[in-house]
Amino acid sequence: MQFQEINPSPRILMCPGPVDADPRVLRAMSAHILGQFDPEFTALMTETMEMARLIFKTDNQQTYVVDTTSRGGLETVLTGAICPGDKVLIPAFGRFGYLLSEILERCGAEITLIEREWGTVFDPEEIEVELKKGGYKAVACIHGETSTSMMQPLEEIGKLCKKYDALLIVDTVATLGGVDIRVDEWGLDACIAGTQKCISAPSGSALITYNDKISSIGHARKKVEKGIRTADDVDGTLPCIPSNYLDMAQLEDYWSPRRLNHHTEATCMQYGVHEALRVILQEGLPERFARHNLNNEALNAGLLAMGLTIFGDLKNKMPVVTAINIPEGIDGPTLRGQMLNDFGIEVATSFGPLDGKVIRIGNMGYSSQKRNILLTLAALEAVLVDHKVKINAGQGVQAALEVYRNAEKAGK
């Protein structure tokens, strides 16, 4: 029997994740494997923590990588910080707000879910109305909601959570590395991100950071497994964390100088994360954010010039994802399928009330390049013209080029 060689077709990933990994990351992942407690490897782990703090803009000691997807990172923090019976407020304005609710319901938390129409975000006053009722242990929310392309402002919510003594736990899976995030300045108690979006590494690692408040909860729930515990390991007073693998307290010990032998590290993924963070810092955070903003401006200018409409409240649209309303004359699967099959460009449809109504285009990390924006606009126009959709043919790429030329003249 003959099996298939791994030889994927070349693609340009312009969906909201995963996106193209930086080639430097892929090269790093092919390096020699070290043992997880080799001093060379633990030195790399320490550097990864230091770089992640710079990108999260935090001094949190507990800033590290979990060998799981971004959803596993969410579960690590939420199942560690939230005990059964804790009251948690979730402001949901898209698919992934409901995911937070799903995770926390399984933790036995008492959930209050407030909802916003997809394509909008919350005003701080709406959240304060609920916090005034008292008793909330935490607010858990999404920063960049890829299902709708909306981005929730966080600074005022951070102030409100401090005022009402509630933790603020934020999903920055889609934004870290592409958008300015200020964990300490904005009063975020915990932040979770993945590697497959603006970080530009393969999926399979989660970056998390949390402060001493949340760390102390994890320690109060600590239970080191019998086979590796010592006489100094004392069980906490709160109910133990339900997951062994995603046990925040044991993971802290794994990433600390103690190097608790909790699990076998995903060595090659660690290489990839380390290199991805190094590349981000080498580019410079201000320069990286400016690149994403410029490519977002060019993409949007091209879409509008073509005669298409952008979905949602544009004042709160993410610079790293754009959703367009699907025009009459074509459906989502056809549009997406032809862009993939004829041009090798992957974009995405959406979920729930937006299923079949919008196409989402990513502008993330390594995929956020001038050439990719221009190719995506050209391919999109060609597919729409092929299906006789009424658009302003020939205008999209030209409008985007004008944005780039104006930026060059302005020295951006």
Side-chain angles (χ1 to χ4, degrees), residues 67-119:
D67 296 334
T68 178
T69 62
S70 48
R71 184 174 299 216
L74 291 170
E75 290 211 17
T76 300
V77 173
L78 292 173
T79 60
I82 305 302
C83 297
D86 284 346
K87 285 183 64 177
V88 182
L89 174 64
I90 301 177
F93 55 105
R95 173 194 169 180
F96 293 102
Y98 299 117
L99 171 62
L100 301 181
S101 178
E102 166 74 16
I103 293 170
L104 285 168
E105 284 172 2
R106 291 173 182 238
C107 297
E110 184 182 329
I111 305 298
T112 298
L113 188 69
I114 57 176
E115 300 170 273
R116 259 290 199 160
E117 180 183 358
W118 288 29

Short mmCIF file of all heavy atoms in Angstrom, two decimals, residues 67-119:
data_model
loop_
_atom_site.label_atom_id
_atom_site.label_comp_id
_atom_site.label_asym_id
_atom_site.label_seq_id
_atom_site.Cartn_x
_atom_site.Cartn_y
_atom_site.Cartn_z
N ASP A 67 1.22 24.05 26.09
CA ASP A 67 1.24 23.20 24.88
C ASP A 67 -0.18 22.76 24.53
O ASP A 67 -0.61 21.64 24.83
CB ASP A 67 2.12 21.97 25.12
CG ASP A 67 3.57 22.33 25.35
OD1 ASP A 67 3.99 23.38 24.86
OD2 ASP A 67 4.27 21.56 26.02
N THR A 68 -0.90 23.66 23.89
CA THR A 68 -2.28 23.42 23.52
C THR A 68 -2.67 24.50 22.54
O THR A 68 -1.91 25.44 22.32
CB THR A 68 -3.19 23.46 24.77
OG1 THR A 68 -4.55 23.26 24.38
CG2 THR A 68 -3.09 24.80 25.49
N THR A 69 -3.82 24.39 21.94
CA THR A 69 -4.29 25.48 21.09
C THR A 69 -4.77 26.64 21.97
O THR A 69 -4.80 26.54 23.20
CB THR A 69 -5.45 25.00 20.22
OG1 THR A 69 -6.54 24.60 21.06
CG2 THR A 69 -5.03 23.84 19.32
N SER A 70 -5.16 27.73 21.33
CA SER A 70 -5.61 28.90 22.09
C SER A 70 -6.82 28.57 22.96
O SER A 70 -6.96 29.11 24.05
CB SER A 70 -5.94 30.05 21.14
OG SER A 70 -6.75 29.63 20.06
N ARG A 71 -7.67 27.67 22.51
CA ARG A 71 -8.82 27.27 23.33
C ARG A 71 -8.35 26.61 24.63
O ARG A 71 -8.92 26.83 25.70
CB ARG A 71 -9.73 26.31 22.56
CG ARG A 71 -11.00 25.95 23.32
CD ARG A 71 -11.94 25.12 22.49
NE ARG A 71 -12.38 25.82 21.30
CZ ARG A 71 -13.60 25.71 20.78
NH1 ARG A 71 -14.51 24.94 21.35
NH2 ARG A 71 -13.92 26.36 19.67
N GLY A 72 -7.29 25.81 24.53
CA GLY A 72 -6.73 25.22 25.74
C GLY A 72 -6.14 26.27 26.67
O GLY A 72 -6.16 26.12 27.89
N GLY A 73 -5.58 27.35 26.09
CA GLY A 73 -5.10 28.45 26.92
C GLY A 73 -6.23 29.11 27.67
O GLY A 73 -6.11 29.43 28.87
N LEU A 74 -7.37 29.29 27.00
CA LEU A 74 -8.56 29.83 27.68
C LEU A 74 -8.98 28.91 28.82
O LEU A 74 -9.29 29.38 29.92
CB LEU A 74 -9.71 29.98 26.68
CG LEU A 74 -9.55 31.06 25.60
CD1 LEU A 74 -10.64 30.92 24.55
CD2 LEU A 74 -9.60 32.45 26.23
N GLU A 75 -9.01 27.62 28.55
CA GLU A 75 -9.42 26.68 29.60
C GLU A 75 -8.44 26.68 30.77
O GLU A 75 -8.85 26.57 31.93
CB GLU A 75 -9.56 25.26 29.01
CG GLU A 75 -10.73 25.12 28.08
CD GLU A 75 -11.33 23.72 28.08
OE1 GLU A 75 -11.05 22.95 29.02
OE2 GLU A 75 -12.10 23.42 27.16
N THR A 76 -7.15 26.82 30.49
CA THR A 76 -6.16 26.86 31.57
C THR A 76 -6.47 27.98 32.54
O THR A 76 -6.51 27.78 33.77
CB THR A 76 -4.75 27.04 30.99
OG1 THR A 76 -4.45 25.95 30.12
CG2 THR A 76 -3.71 27.09 32.10
N VAL A 77 -6.66 29.17 32.02
CA VAL A 77 -6.90 30.33 32.88
C VAL A 77 -8.28 30.27 33.52
O VAL A 77 -8.43 30.48 34.73
CB VAL A 77 -6.71 31.64 32.08
CG1 VAL A 77 -7.11 32.84 32.93
CG2 VAL A 77 -5.26 31.78 31.62
N LEU A 78 -9.29 29.98 32.73
CA LEU A 78 -10.66 30.02 33.26
C LEU A 78 -10.90 28.91 34.29
O LEU A 78 -11.51 29.16 35.34
CB LEU A 78 -11.67 29.90 32.12
CG LEU A 78 -11.72 31.10 31.16
CD1 LEU A 78 -12.62 30.80 29.97
CD2 LEU A 78 -12.18 32.36 31.88
N THR A 79 -10.42 27.70 34.01
CA THR A 79 -10.66 26.61 34.97
C THR A 79 -9.78 26.76 36.21
O THR A 79 -10.08 26.19 37.25
CB THR A 79 -10.41 25.23 34.33
OG1 THR A 79 -9.07 25.15 33.88
CG2 THR A 79 -11.35 24.98 33.17
N GLY A 80 -8.68 27.53 36.09
CA GLY A 80 -7.83 27.76 37.25
C GLY A 80 -8.31 28.90 38.12
O GLY A 80 -8.26 28.84 39.35
N ALA A 81 -8.81 29.97 37.48
CA ALA A 81 -9.19 31.17 38.23
C ALA A 81 -10.62 31.15 38.75
O ALA A 81 -10.94 31.83 39.72
CB ALA A 81 -9.00 32.40 37.34
N ILE A 82 -11.48 30.37 38.10
CA ILE A 82 -12.91 30.38 38.43
C ILE A 82 -13.29 29.06 39.10
O ILE A 82 -13.13 27.98 38.52
CB ILE A 82 -13.75 30.60 37.18
CG1 ILE A 82 -13.33 31.88 36.46
CG2 ILE A 82 -15.23 30.64 37.53
CD1 ILE A 82 -13.41 33.15 37.29
N CYS A 83 -13.79 29.17 40.32
CA CYS A 83 -14.22 27.99 41.09
C CYS A 83 -15.71 27.73 40.89
O CYS A 83 -16.46 28.64 40.50
CB CYS A 83 -13.95 28.21 42.58
SG CYS A 83 -12.22 28.42 43.00
N PRO A 84 -16.16 26.52 41.18
CA PRO A 84 -17.60 26.25 41.12
C PRO A 84 -18.38 27.23 41.99
O PRO A 84 -18.00 27.51 43.12
CB PRO A 84 -17.71 24.82 41.66
CG PRO A 84 -16.37 24.20 41.37
CD PRO A 84 -15.38 25.32 41.54
N GLY A 85 -19.44 27.79 41.41
CA GLY A 85 -20.28 28.74 42.14
C GLY A 85 -19.88 30.19 41.99
O GLY A 85 -20.65 31.09 42.37
N ASP A 86 -18.69 30.47 41.45
CA ASP A 86 -18.28 31.86 41.24
C ASP A 86 -19.18 32.51 40.19
O ASP A 86 -19.54 31.90 39.18
CB ASP A 86 -16.83 31.93 40.74
CG ASP A 86 -15.81 31.70 41.85
OD1 ASP A 86 -16.19 31.76 43.03
OD2 ASP A 86 -14.63 31.45 41.52
N LYS A 87 -19.51 33.78 40.44
CA LYS A 87 -20.32 34.54 39.49
C LYS A 87 -19.41 35.21 38.46
O LYS A 87 -18.47 35.89 38.82
CB LYS A 87 -21.15 35.61 40.21
CG LYS A 87 -22.34 35.09 40.99
CD LYS A 87 -23.13 36.24 41.61
CE LYS A 87 -23.73 37.15 40.55
NZ LYS A 87 -24.56 38.24 41.15
N VAL A 88 -19.73 35.00 37.18
CA VAL A 88 -18.94 35.57 36.10
C VAL A 88 -19.86 36.26 35.10
O VAL A 88 -20.88 35.69 34.69
CB VAL A 88 -18.10 34.49 35.37
CG1 VAL A 88 -17.25 35.13 34.28
CG2 VAL A 88 -17.23 33.72 36.36
N LEU A 89 -19.49 37.47 34.72
CA LEU A 89 -20.22 38.24 33.71
C LEU A 89 -19.53 38.06 32.37
O LEU A 89 -18.32 38.29 32.25
CB LEU A 89 -20.27 39.72 34.10
CG LEU A 89 -20.89 40.68 33.09
CD1 LEU A 89 -22.37 40.37 32.87
CD2 LEU A 89 -20.70 42.12 33.55
N ILE A 90 -20.29 37.69 31.34
CA ILE A 90 -19.73 37.53 30.00
C ILE A 90 -20.50 38.42 29.04
O ILE A 90 -21.67 38.18 28.75
CB ILE A 90 -19.81 36.07 29.52
CG1 ILE A 90 -19.03 35.16 30.47
CG2 ILE A 90 -19.28 35.94 28.10
CD1 ILE A 90 -19.12 33.69 30.13
N PRO A 91 -19.86 39.48 28.53
CA PRO A 91 -20.48 40.29 27.48
C PRO A 91 -20.17 39.68 26.12
O PRO A 91 -19.04 39.74 25.65
CB PRO A 91 -19.83 41.67 27.64
CG PRO A 91 -18.69 41.49 28.59
CD PRO A 91 -18.59 40.05 28.97
N ALA A 92 -21.17 39.08 25.48
CA ALA A 92 -20.95 38.35 24.23
C ALA A 92 -21.44 39.17 23.05
O ALA A 92 -22.58 39.63 23.03
CB ALA A 92 -21.67 37.00 24.27
N PHE A 93 -20.56 39.35 22.05
CA PHE A 93 -20.96 40.07 20.84
C PHE A 93 -20.55 39.29 19.59
O PHE A 93 -20.36 39.86 18.52
CB PHE A 93 -20.38 41.49 20.84
CG PHE A 93 -18.88 41.59 20.98
CD1 PHE A 93 -18.09 41.88 19.89
CD2 PHE A 93 -18.26 41.40 22.22
CE1 PHE A 93 -16.70 41.98 20.01
CE2 PHE A 93 -16.88 41.51 22.35
CZ PHE A 93 -16.10 41.79 21.25
N GLY A 94 -20.45 37.95 19.75
CA GLY A 94 -20.12 37.08 18.64
C GLY A 94 -19.92 35.66 19.13
O GLY A 94 -20.15 35.34 20.31
N ARG A 95 -19.47 34.79 18.24
CA ARG A 95 -19.36 33.36 18.55
C ARG A 95 -18.50 33.08 19.78
O ARG A 95 -18.83 32.22 20.59
CB ARG A 95 -18.77 32.63 17.34
CG ARG A 95 -18.48 31.17 17.65
CD ARG A 95 -17.60 30.50 16.64
NE ARG A 95 -17.17 29.19 17.16
CZ ARG A 95 -16.38 28.35 16.51
NH1 ARG A 95 -15.91 28.66 15.32
NH2 ARG A 95 -16.02 27.21 17.05
N PHE A 96 -17.38 33.76 19.92
CA PHE A 96 -16.41 33.33 20.91
C PHE A 96 -16.73 33.82 22.32
O PHE A 96 -16.20 33.27 23.28
CB PHE A 96 -15.00 33.72 20.44
CG PHE A 96 -14.61 32.95 19.21
CD1 PHE A 96 -14.66 33.53 17.95
CD2 PHE A 96 -14.26 31.62 19.31
CE1 PHE A 96 -14.34 32.81 16.82
CE2 PHE A 96 -13.95 30.88 18.17
CZ PHE A 96 -13.99 31.47 16.93
N GLY A 97 -17.62 34.79 22.45
CA GLY A 97 -18.16 35.10 23.77
C GLY A 97 -18.96 33.93 24.30
O GLY A 97 -18.89 33.60 25.50
N TYR A 98 -19.68 33.27 23.41
CA TYR A 98 -20.44 32.09 23.83
C TYR A 98 -19.52 30.93 24.19
O TYR A 98 -19.85 30.09 25.03
CB TYR A 98 -21.42 31.68 22.73
CG TYR A 98 -22.44 32.75 22.41
CD1 TYR A 98 -22.51 33.33 21.16
CD2 TYR A 98 -23.32 33.20 23.39
CE1 TYR A 98 -23.43 34.32 20.87
CE2 TYR A 98 -24.25 34.19 23.11
CZ TYR A 98 -24.29 34.75 21.85
OH TYR A 98 -25.20 35.74 21.57
N LEU A 99 -18.34 30.88 23.55
CA LEU A 99 -17.37 29.85 23.92
C LEU A 99 -16.92 30.03 25.37
O LEU A 99 -16.80 29.04 26.11
CB LEU A 99 -16.16 29.90 22.98
CG LEU A 99 -14.98 29.01 23.39
CD1 LEU A 99 -15.38 27.54 23.41
CD2 LEU A 99 -13.80 29.23 22.45
N LEU A 100 -16.67 31.26 25.79
CA LEU A 100 -16.29 31.50 27.18
C LEU A 100 -17.37 30.98 28.12
O LEU A 100 -17.08 30.38 29.16
CB LEU A 100 -16.06 32.99 27.42
CG LEU A 100 -14.97 33.68 26.59
CD1 LEU A 100 -14.87 35.15 26.97
CD2 LEU A 100 -13.64 32.99 26.77
N SER A 101 -18.63 31.23 27.75
CA SER A 101 -19.75 30.74 28.57
C SER A 101 -19.76 29.22 28.63
O SER A 101 -19.97 28.62 29.69
CB SER A 101 -21.07 31.26 27.98
OG SER A 101 -22.16 30.78 28.71
N GLU A 102 -19.52 28.59 27.49
CA GLU A 102 -19.49 27.12 27.43
C GLU A 102 -18.43 26.54 28.36
O GLU A 102 -18.68 25.59 29.10
CB GLU A 102 -19.23 26.70 25.98
CG GLU A 102 -18.84 25.25 25.77
CD GLU A 102 -20.00 24.28 25.91
OE1 GLU A 102 -21.16 24.74 25.88
OE2 GLU A 102 -19.74 23.08 26.07
N ILE A 103 -17.24 27.13 28.32
CA ILE A 103 -16.15 26.63 29.18
C ILE A 103 -16.50 26.82 30.64
O ILE A 103 -16.32 25.91 31.47
CB ILE A 103 -14.83 27.36 28.83
CG1 ILE A 103 -14.36 26.98 27.42
CG2 ILE A 103 -13.74 27.03 29.86
CD1 ILE A 103 -13.20 27.83 26.91
N LEU A 104 -17.01 28.00 30.99
CA LEU A 104 -17.27 28.30 32.39
C LEU A 104 -18.47 27.54 32.95
O LEU A 104 -18.51 27.22 34.14
CB LEU A 104 -17.45 29.81 32.57
CG LEU A 104 -16.14 30.60 32.48
CD1 LEU A 104 -16.39 32.08 32.36
CD2 LEU A 104 -15.26 30.30 33.69
N GLU A 105 -19.45 27.27 32.12
CA GLU A 105 -20.57 26.44 32.58
C GLU A 105 -20.08 25.06 33.00
O GLU A 105 -20.54 24.50 33.99
CB GLU A 105 -21.62 26.31 31.47
CG GLU A 105 -22.48 27.56 31.29
CD GLU A 105 -23.36 27.49 30.06
OE1 GLU A 105 -23.33 26.45 29.36
OE2 GLU A 105 -24.09 28.46 29.80
N ARG A 106 -19.11 24.53 32.24
CA ARG A 106 -18.56 23.22 32.58
C ARG A 106 -17.73 23.27 33.86
O ARG A 106 -17.46 22.24 34.46
CB ARG A 106 -17.71 22.70 31.41
CG ARG A 106 -18.52 22.34 30.18
CD ARG A 106 -17.64 21.99 29.01
NE ARG A 106 -18.44 21.69 27.82
CZ ARG A 106 -18.40 20.55 27.15
NH1 ARG A 106 -17.61 19.57 27.55
NH2 ARG A 106 -19.14 20.36 26.09
N CYS A 107 -17.29 24.48 34.24
CA CYS A 107 -16.56 24.65 35.50
C CYS A 107 -17.51 24.78 36.69
O CYS A 107 -17.05 24.86 37.84
CB CYS A 107 -15.71 25.92 35.46
SG CYS A 107 -14.42 25.92 34.23
N GLY A 108 -18.80 24.87 36.41
CA GLY A 108 -19.76 25.06 37.49
C GLY A 108 -19.92 26.50 37.92
O GLY A 108 -20.45 26.78 39.00
N ALA A 109 -19.46 27.42 37.08
CA ALA A 109 -19.60 28.84 37.41
C ALA A 109 -21.04 29.28 37.22
O ALA A 109 -21.80 28.69 36.45
CB ALA A 109 -18.67 29.68 36.55
N GLU A 110 -21.40 30.36 37.91
CA GLU A 110 -22.71 30.97 37.74
C GLU A 110 -22.57 32.09 36.72
O GLU A 110 -21.95 33.12 36.99
CB GLU A 110 -23.22 31.51 39.08
CG GLU A 110 -24.63 32.07 39.03
CD GLU A 110 -25.06 32.64 40.37
OE1 GLU A 110 -24.61 32.12 41.41
OE2 GLU A 110 -25.85 33.62 40.37
N ILE A 111 -23.14 31.89 35.54
CA ILE A 111 -22.90 32.77 34.41
C ILE A 111 -24.03 33.79 34.25
O ILE A 111 -25.21 33.45 34.32
CB ILE A 111 -22.80 31.97 33.10
CG1 ILE A 111 -21.74 30.89 33.20
CG2 ILE A 111 -22.53 32.89 31.91
CD1 ILE A 111 -20.37 31.38 33.43
N THR A 112 -23.66 35.03 34.02
CA THR A 112 -24.60 36.04 33.53
C THR A 112 -24.10 36.43 32.15
O THR A 112 -23.00 36.97 32.00
CB THR A 112 -24.65 37.28 34.43
OG1 THR A 112 -25.12 36.90 35.72
CG2 THR A 112 -25.58 38.33 33.84
N LEU A 113 -24.92 36.15 31.15
CA LEU A 113 -24.55 36.42 29.77
C LEU A 113 -25.35 37.61 29.27
O LEU A 113 -26.58 37.60 29.27
CB LEU A 113 -24.84 35.19 28.91
CG LEU A 113 -24.36 35.20 27.46
CD1 LEU A 113 -22.85 35.13 27.39
CD2 LEU A 113 -24.98 34.04 26.69
N ILE A 114 -24.66 38.68 28.89
CA ILE A 114 -25.34 39.80 28.24
C ILE A 114 -24.91 39.80 26.79
O ILE A 114 -23.77 39.47 26.46
CB ILE A 114 -25.06 41.15 28.94
CG1 ILE A 114 -23.56 41.45 29.02
CG2 ILE A 114 -25.69 41.17 30.32
CD1 ILE A 114 -23.24 42.82 29.61
N GLU A 115 -25.82 40.15 25.90
CA GLU A 115 -25.58 39.98 24.48
C GLU A 115 -25.75 41.29 23.72
O GLU A 115 -26.56 42.14 24.08
CB GLU A 115 -26.53 38.92 23.91
CG GLU A 115 -26.36 37.55 24.56
CD GLU A 115 -27.45 36.59 24.16
OE1 GLU A 115 -28.51 36.58 24.81
OE2 GLU A 115 -27.25 35.85 23.17
N ARG A 116 -24.99 41.39 22.66
CA ARG A 116 -25.04 42.52 21.75
C ARG A 116 -25.28 42.00 20.35
O ARG A 116 -24.86 40.89 20.00
CB ARG A 116 -23.72 43.28 21.78
CG ARG A 116 -23.68 44.54 22.60
CD ARG A 116 -24.50 45.62 21.96
NE ARG A 116 -24.17 46.94 22.45
CZ ARG A 116 -24.46 48.04 21.77
NH1 ARG A 116 -25.05 47.97 20.59
NH2 ARG A 116 -24.17 49.22 22.27
N GLU A 117 -25.95 42.77 19.52
CA GLU A 117 -26.12 42.40 18.13
C GLU A 117 -24.76 42.21 17.48
O GLU A 117 -23.84 43.01 17.68
CB GLU A 117 -26.90 43.51 17.40
CG GLU A 117 -27.15 43.23 15.93
CD GLU A 117 -27.84 44.38 15.23
OE1 GLU A 117 -28.16 45.38 15.90
OE2 GLU A 117 -28.04 44.27 14.00
N TRP A 118 -24.61 41.14 16.70
CA TRP A 118 -23.34 40.88 16.03
C TRP A 118 -23.04 42.04 15.07
O TRP A 118 -23.89 42.43 14.26
CB TRP A 118 -23.40 39.57 15.27
CG TRP A 118 -23.39 38.36 16.17
CD1 TRP A 118 -23.87 38.28 17.44
CD2 TRP A 118 -22.88 37.07 15.85
NE1 TRP A 118 -23.68 37.02 17.95
CE2 TRP A 118 -23.08 36.25 16.99
CE3 TRP A 118 -22.29 36.51 14.73
CZ2 TRP A 118 -22.70 34.91 17.02
CZ3 TRP A 118 -21.91 35.17 14.75
CH2 TRP A 118 -22.11 34.38 15.89
N GLY A 119 -21.83 42.57 15.17
CA GLY A 119 -21.44 43.73 14.37
C GLY A 119 -21.34 44.98 15.21
O GLY A 119 -21.03 46.06 14.69
#
